[in-house]
């Protein structure tokens, strides 16, 4: 597969990712929440629970919980940081751009810290870990809640 | 089978419970072991998921397609006869491997299909509402979900034998459950997560004592140790050839022929009938009654070649080699400071060892090990209820087989140090 030249700390486990993994931001539950989405990866059993409170067309508050690997936790943490306070339109666009980077080789420009996750795109088995929280976000923004998995659903 | 192994006190390297086992000669039979992963030699520690295949099996499959390929039980031509003879020969060979009556040996795609066959044709069709099926907390989804489906359709009750802190079946609960009216006990011979080897003979006695049948998932035992359905006194036994050096697609169900005779067919179609009218049919004799459609002849023939191979190496010797490796593996994992899930001694335990590493997720362990060329499995291992019981969403699992070396176990140890270096507690120098 992708083993070889690049040390894994440069490709996958970059400092910023490890920092979000060790010290996740926005971890917990928004209560009361307007939007609650559960995300599952049936292949590995990982779960993410995303809760949001919306106000005037924006994501006023957001939090995630659940269990997953370093990549999924860091991705969720960075995602929350990226969309907190943004309008639904901006958050949705960020979600699509992130997915495009991970799944279609899209550009990482202007994605800020999220660019650090680009290395994951080179490890097919781990892409789903990074994308799961974003599937939950987009589901929540589009449908106001529900359940998503990495395997099916409107967004895969 | 209950080989009891003395505690290992010897220094690493000199130890061996199978001093005459020539693992390098075995490895020479497995072409894939020459592969490199990036710039590292492959260290394959995922044989519990599927085993690698020796040239003897690869050649048998290829020879079948090059020389004898034809449909079975049909054409009256030479190739048809040859293919039929190879297929029926494979049935006798695999039955002999299990010390079993070949009339009870049904070829399926895999153990999952075998267990579904039993749950559908026996439990769903022949049991009655309120009848009880006992399972255990350590079953693979393929020995759980089929019973759930049958239970729902037929109104059966499911009950479960729990586990001890060490990860063994709680035999007190087993004895209690199996002293009450029960129709069937479904149990794995060896846990694919914990490595625990269950006392099948004793469980069969308990089951039969309360009028129940016993169905054994032998996926993780048949490849690794001598298994005799006669000695174990079981009624159904399933395994997947692909975990025993055979090709993917060759699965096995063995059942007492008199049970197969009572059970209605699982799938209908060609080969499983005697006489077909427009509105009804009669069934072929067992085991053909349970083999609808064109079978995987190459898969069955390849599995027979795998049985020949494993017997030529010697299943007792393979088991002894694996016990030595497992002891070494337990030691290396212990030194790495990980939490072993399941028995920590060699007593009634096989060579699939699960572990967790605190906050570090098993996927991260597997990804870093892959960089080192070390292939392990990470995830729920198709045992979500067991994961819940263990209080973890996933574990990492290393598993050994006849071609595994002690040096490979050491490579795992080195890989785990790398995991600790990269993902260890903050402040750990990188
Ligand atoms: C204990 C056990 N049972 C059942 C299975 C299912 O095997 P298969 O997927 O080949 O049907 C496996 C392997 O994954 C296993 O380890």
């Amino acid at each position: 597969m992708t083993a070889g030249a690049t040390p894994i700390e440069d490709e996958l486990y970059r400092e910023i990712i490890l920092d979000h993994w060790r010290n996740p931001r926005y971890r917990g539950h928004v209560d009361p929440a307007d939007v609650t989405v559960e995300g599952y990866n049936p292949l590995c059993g990982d779960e993410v629970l995303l809760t949001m409170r919306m106000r005037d067309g924006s994501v006023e508050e957001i939090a995630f919980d659940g269990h997953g690997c370093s990549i999924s936790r860091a991705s969720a943490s960075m995602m929350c940081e990226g969309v907190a306070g943004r309008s639904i339109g901006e958050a949705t666009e960020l979600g699509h751009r992130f997915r495009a980077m991970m799944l279609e080789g899209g550009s990482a420009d202007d994605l800020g810290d999220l660019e650090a996750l680009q290395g994951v795109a080179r490890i097919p088995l781990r892409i789903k870990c990074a994308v799961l929280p974003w599937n939950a976000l987009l589901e929540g923004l589009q449908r106001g809640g529900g359940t998503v998995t990495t395997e099916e659903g409107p967004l895969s | 089978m209950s080989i009891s192994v003395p505690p290992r006190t010897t220094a690493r390297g000199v130890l061996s419970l199978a001093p005459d086992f020539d693992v390098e000669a075995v490895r020479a039979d497995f072409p894939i072991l020459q592969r490199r992963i990036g710039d590292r030699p492959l260290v394959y520690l995922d044989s519990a998921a599927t085993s690698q295949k020796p040239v003897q099996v690869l050649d048998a499959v290829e020879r079948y397609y090059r020389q004898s390929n034809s449909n079975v039980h049909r054409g009256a031509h030479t190739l048809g006869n040859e293919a039929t003879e190879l297929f029926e020969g494979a049935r006798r060979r695999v039955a002999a491997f299990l010390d079993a009556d070949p009339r009870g040996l049904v070829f399926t795609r895999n153990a999952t299909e075998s267990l579904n066959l039993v749950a559908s044709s026996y439990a769903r069709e022949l049991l009655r509402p309120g009848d009880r099926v006992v399972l255990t907390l350590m079953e693979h989804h393929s020995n759980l979900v089929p019973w759930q489906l049958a239970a729902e359709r037929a109104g059966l009750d499911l009950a479960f034998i729990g586990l001890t802190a060490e990860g063994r079946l709680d035999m007190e609960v087993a004895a209690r459950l199996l002293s009450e009216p029960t129709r069937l006990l479904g149990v794995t011979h060896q846990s694919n997560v914990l490595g625990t080897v269950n006392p099948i003979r004793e469980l069969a006695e308990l089951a039969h004592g309360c009028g129940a049948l016993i169905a054994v998932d032998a996926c993780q035992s048949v490849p690794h140790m001598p298994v005799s359905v006669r000695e174990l006194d079981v009624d159904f036994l399933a395994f997947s050839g692909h975990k025993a050096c055979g090709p993917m697609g060759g699965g096995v169900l063995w059942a007492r022929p008199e049970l197969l005779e009572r059970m209605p067919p699982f799938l209908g179609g060609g080969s499983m009938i005697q006489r077909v009218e427009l509105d009804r049919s009669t069934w072929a004799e067992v085991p053909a009654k349970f083999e609808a459609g064109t079978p995987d002849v190459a898969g069955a023939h390849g599995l027979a070649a795998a049985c020949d191979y494993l017997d030529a190496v010697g299943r007792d010797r393979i088991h002894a080699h694996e016990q030595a490796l497992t002891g070494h593996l337990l030691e290396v994992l212990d030194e790495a400071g990980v939490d072993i899930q399941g028995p920590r001694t060699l007593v009634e335990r096989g060579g699939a060892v699960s572990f967790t590493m605190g906050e570090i997720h098993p996927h991260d362990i597997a990804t870093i090990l892959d960089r080192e060329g070390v292939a392990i499995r990470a995830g729920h291992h198709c045992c979500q209820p067991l994961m819940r019981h263990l209080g973890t969403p996933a574990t990492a699992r290393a598993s050994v087989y006849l071609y595994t070396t002690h040096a490979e176990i050491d490579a795992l140890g080195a890989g785990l140090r790398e995991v600790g270096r990269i993902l260890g507690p903050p402040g750990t120098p990188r």
Side-chain angles (χ1 to χ4, degrees):
Chain A
M1 212 172 60
T2 47
T6 331
I8 200 161
E9 298 100 305
D10 297 342
E11 181 165 349
L12 198 60
Y13 297 113
R14 301 185 33 192
E15 203 53 57
I16 176 110
I17 292 180
L18 294 184
D19 183 49
H20 276 271
W21 169 56
R22 293 201 171 102
N23 312 297
R25 319 336 178 219
Y26 297 87
R27 194 161 188 210
H29 303 245
V30 174
D31 188 20
D34 300 317
V35 178
T36 301
V37 196
E38 290 170 47
Y40 292 102
N41 183 342
L43 294 184
C44 66
D46 286 354
E47 300 174 6
V48 61
L49 179 74
L50 192 69
T51 46
M52 293 189 274
R53 185 154 56 237
M54 318 302 290
R55 176 184 236 168
D56 301 336
S58 290
V59 181
E60 185 186 38
E61 268 193 68
I62 183 166
F64 79 96
D65 202 359
H67 32 239
C69 61
S70 63
I71 302 301
S72 79
R73 193 198 285 176
S75 182
S77 171
M78 290 173 163
M79 175 186 85
C80 291
E81 204 169 64
V83 304
R86 301 269 198 110
S87 73
I88 291 177
E90 288 167 338
T92 305
E93 205 217 306
L94 186 65
H96 288 310
R97 298 225 354 254
F98 181 79
R99 281 178 49 91
M101 172 179 87
M102 297 306 296
L103 300 168
E104 292 149 26
S107 149
D109 291 352
D110 306 328
L111 281 176
D113 286 355
L114 288 168
E115 181 269 330
L117 286 163
Q118 200 175 20
V120 181
R122 266 174 272 154
I123 305 186
L125 283 170
R126 302 302 299 274
I127 293 175
K128 287 174 177 171
C129 311
V131 167
L132 178 63
W134 295 83
N135 286 359
L137 173 74
L138 290 170
E139 175 81 8
L141 293 174
Q142 284 169 18
R143 297 174 189 234
T147 304
V148 289
T149 76
T150 49
E151 299 309 295
E152 37 82 32
L155 303 165
S156 323
Chain B
M1 205 158 352
S2 48
I3 294 183
S4 87
V5 182
R8 295 170 55 262
T9 48
T10 37
R12 179 165 320 149
V14 292
L15 105 131
S16 185
L17 299 169
D20 59 339
F21 192 88
D22 188 352
V23 69
E24 290 307 326
V26 167
R27 288 175 72 80
D29 290 331
F30 289 80
I32 205 170
L33 298 179
Q34 301 309 314
R35 261 217 60 175
R36 298 181 78 80
I37 302 299
D39 58 356
R40 304 298 175 95
L42 167 67
V43 174
Y44 187 73
L45 296 177
D46 196 19
S47 291
T50 197
S51 75
Q52 298 302 350
K53 321 300 174 201
V55 280
Q56 289 81 350
V57 168
L58 302 176
D59 288 350
V61 171
E62 186 176 335
R63 217 177 316 118
Y64 166 75
Y65 280 122
R66 282 181 183 275
Q67 295 179 11
S68 307
N69 180 50
S70 178
N71 214 323
V72 286
H73 300 305
R74 295 178 193 186
H77 50 68
T78 303
L79 292 186
N81 287 338
E82 266 178 45
T84 303
E85 189 35 52
L86 286 175
F87 186 60
E88 292 306 323
R91 190 189 311 282
R92 292 189 296 273
R93 181 62 187 95
V94 177
F97 195 71
L98 299 175
D99 188 21
D101 180 345
R103 281 205 319 135
L105 197 126
V106 180
F107 281 116
T108 60
R109 278 186 308 142
N110 49 39
T112 301
E113 185 174 303
S114 304
L115 293 163
N116 274 277
L117 193 165
V118 181
S120 296
S121 292
Y122 180 77
R124 195 179 76 202
E125 298 290 339
L126 298 183
L127 299 186
R128 296 220 295 275
D131 279 352
R132 188 162 80 176
V133 170
V134 171
L135 304 170
T136 88
L137 214 54
M138 63 166 83
E139 298 311 312
H140 189 281
H141 294 166
S142 65
N143 200 26
L144 171 59
V145 180
W147 304 109
Q148 293 173 345
L149 292 171
E152 196 179 322
R153 307 259 175 91
L156 311 176
D157 288 334
L158 299 182
F160 294 86
I161 301 172
L163 309 182
T164 66
E166 205 199 355
R168 299 187 186 279
L169 288 185
D170 186 333
M171 290 303 286
E172 274 175 35
V173 176
R176 182 167 53 69
L177 287 175
L178 297 173
S179 66
E180 299 156 11
T182 300
R183 298 299 302 268
L184 186 131
L185 167 65
V187 58
T188 186
H189 196 171
Q190 181 184 312
S191 164
N192 60 312
V193 172
L194 305 166
T196 314
V197 177
N198 292 322
I200 295 300
R201 175 78 218 232
E202 193 181 332
L203 288 163
E205 244 168 65
L206 284 172
H208 294 152
C210 71
L213 299 178
I214 176 169
V216 174
D217 173 356
C219 275
Q220 299 292 344
S221 58
V222 163
H224 303 284
M225 57 173 97
V227 169
S228 157
V229 299
R230 247 178 272 271
E231 273 174 32
L232 293 176
D233 196 23
V234 299
D235 304 295
F236 299 101
L237 181 134
F239 78 97
S240 282
H242 70 86
K243 293 181 200 277
C245 294
M248 287 185 172
V252 171
L253 170 68
W254 183 83
R256 290 190 195 278
E258 59 274 23
L259 286 168
L260 289 181
E261 274 157 15
R262 282 176 49 215
M263 287 156 57
F266 177 46
L267 301 173
S271 302
M272 51 75 71
I273 46 81
Q274 196 171 57
R275 186 182 169 85
V276 177
E277 308 288 345
L278 272 181
D279 56 351
R280 88 195 84 95
S281 303
T282 53
W283 316 131
E285 293 295 312
V286 301
K289 177 170 126 184
F290 291 97
E291 289 175 350
T294 300
D296 185 349
V297 182
H301 180 53
L303 179 54
C307 293
D308 285 343
Y309 183 78
L310 293 173
D311 276 342
V313 178
R315 275 185 281 169
D316 280 322
R317 297 174 70 238
I318 292 171
H319 188 250
H321 174 62
E322 289 187 28
Q323 287 280 290
L325 290 166
T326 307
H328 187 176
L329 177 55
L330 290 168
E331 207 171 80
V332 161
L333 291 174
D334 199 43
E335 275 164 23
V338 306
D339 294 310
I340 294 166
Q341 308 284 336
R344 304 173 136 270
T345 69
L346 293 180
V347 180
E348 298 300 327
R349 90 109 63 224
V353 184
S354 279
F355 58 95
T356 50
M357 274 180 104
E359 273 287 285
I360 302 176
H361 193 281
H363 277 180
D364 292 312
I365 301 173
T367 296
I368 294 174
L369 290 175
D370 183 53
R371 280 310 159 100
E372 308 295 312
V374 179
I376 63 153
R377 173 91 191 265
H380 55 59
H381 313 285
C382 300
C383 288
Q384 289 184 359
L386 175 58
M387 291 297 127
R388 245 164 257 135
H389 170 81
L390 296 173
T392 178
T395 69
R397 179 189 70 193
S399 53
V400 304
Y401 205 9
L402 73 164
Y403 40 70
T404 308
T405 68
H406 288 275
E408 290 182 304
I409 306 287
D410 288 330
L412 171 67
L416 290 174
R417 284 192 289 282
E418 189 65 4
V419 174
R421 183 182 69 79
I422 296 170
L423 298 180
T428 317
R430 279 177 49 158

